Amino acid sequence: MEVTRTGADVLFVLLGAIMVLAMHAGFAFLEVGTVRKKNQVNALVKILTDFAVSTLVYFFVGYGVAYGISFLHPAADLVGKTEGSAFAANGYDLVKFFFLATFAAAIPAIISGGIAERAKFWPQLIATSILVGLVYPITEGMVWGTRLGFQETITALFGVPFHDFAGSVVVHALGGWVALGAVLMLGARRGRYRKDGRVIAIPPSNIPFLALGSWVLCVGWFGFNVMSAQAIDGISGLVAMNSLLAMVGGIISSLIVGRNDPGFVHNGALAGLVAVCAGSDVMHPVGALVTGGLAGALFVWAFEMCQDKWKIDDVLGVWSLHGLCGAMGGIACGIFGLETLGGLGGVHPGAQFVGTLTGVVLGLASGLAVYGSLRATMGIRLSDEDEFMGADLAIHQIGAYPEDATSVHDDGALAARASARGMGAA
């Protein structure tokens, strides 16, 4: 029975890892559908290479920072076949790494949407290495591990630890607030805000791709949340139900507040899922529905304020979606998870507020520090000429529709460069 249970756990976590891996396709298509056509190839390549770099850095550095575990042992040890091995049988620790690596890689995937259309390629990969190798694992280890005595301190203050079941704060709020720092360091897209105060609208390039990205993320999210139990005997239908209702709540509220805007509706579903991650295992389903509804409305309000009033050019609204809704979800866990409101208990509003605030501060400070340092040393922004031409041709020498312009050597690309020089001079 023990062998069977271990094998079932390995399969359970592996399936979760595959579902969250699929979510990165959702991140990619959500960005592809939102950015202009001249930046679609860059979005696809950026998400994929960020995932590859994240996995390598997390394998060799980040996982050890978070949990003090290294995989530089003989394969027999890694699958628990050596007597006295610290690793579980059947390679359970390996699929657990795979699962958590997909979480770690979500940090640069989140940031990617905020800095789209004007960020340099290689400096972003360097930022990914720093964030996934150090910043995210430190936060992860504080909340889900034993690092820095964080949970012991929270427990001493409030009687219970900070609760973040599936990463509203550890993944989403952290990634969203790092993205805010990156966007502030990068600056707005060229021509987005005029000197006379006018805001120039840049509509999504492809609503079907945007919708596809949202749907892929929604489906994968049930692996993200439900399989955060990381063992077959910890699986809970409550997590699935709460995720479903929070998603629905986000859709309905964003539909109403966003006045039928398709971009808001599809991102509203994600806002609800972001917010419910922390408390999906302890909330009553009605509490999850309310949490998702509040998140959907918060996203619409914050996105419009960010873009139009505060003039922060966060292309996909990742600070609004992940940063603010993730923080709201961390706090909401301490309210709707209480037994008095139908939850399972074991949470405290004070613990959730302090834990969430810690994640927000770490995220914003890290974003400003990492991207500020890269801006000062090597630059993080494309030239005006390359930005006007588009990241696809400037960085990858091919566009999303090669029949239009397949190379920087094509006449169309050369004309774009000449036009960019003219606009720069103007």
Side-chain angles (χ1 to χ4, degrees), residues 6-32:
T6 303
D9 286 345
V10 170
L11 179 60
F12 176 69
V13 178
L14 175 61
L15 292 175
I18 293 169
M19 291 182 72
V20 184
L21 173 62
M23 290 176 69
H24 288 267
F27 281 120
F29 279 101
L30 191 70
E31 185 172 335
V32 166

Side-chain angles (χ1 to χ4, degrees), residues 261-411:
D261 183 283
F264 285 147
V265 171
H266 287 96
N267 278 286
L270 307 181
L273 287 163
V274 165
V276 82
C277 286
S280 57
D281 64 326
V282 295
M283 289 181 178
H284 187 277
V286 174
L289 177 65
V290 174
T291 297
L294 291 173
L298 174 62
F299 167 71
V300 174
W301 174 83
F303 183 88
E304 291 182 332
M305 293 295 292
C306 187
Q307 298 288 338
D308 299 334
K309 300 296 183 182
W310 302 330
K311 293 183 172 55
I312 300 173
D313 192 17
D314 177 359
V315 180
L316 268 67
V318 297
W319 174 60
S320 306
L321 179 63
H322 298 274
L324 290 182
C325 292
M328 190 219 78
I331 294 171
C333 172
I335 299 172
F336 295 110
L338 295 171
E339 290 186 51
T340 53
L341 292 179
L344 295 182
V347 295
H348 189 286
Q352 293 306 117
F353 178 79
V354 172
T356 299
L357 181 62
T358 301
V360 166
V361 171
L362 283 172
L364 181 58
S366 299
L368 292 172
V370 171
Y371 285 92
S373 299
L374 289 172
R375 185 178 72 171
T377 54
M378 64 177 61
I380 56 176
R381 182 164 183 144
L382 293 173
S383 67
D384 286 350
E385 177 185 338
D386 286 345
E387 185 180 342
F388 176 78
M389 182 171 57
D392 291 358
L393 291 178
I395 298 174
H396 309 290
Q397 289 80 53
I398 191 168
Y401 305 92
E403 65 274 17
D404 296 334
T406 58
S407 167
V408 293
H409 300 296
D410 287 350
D411 292 340

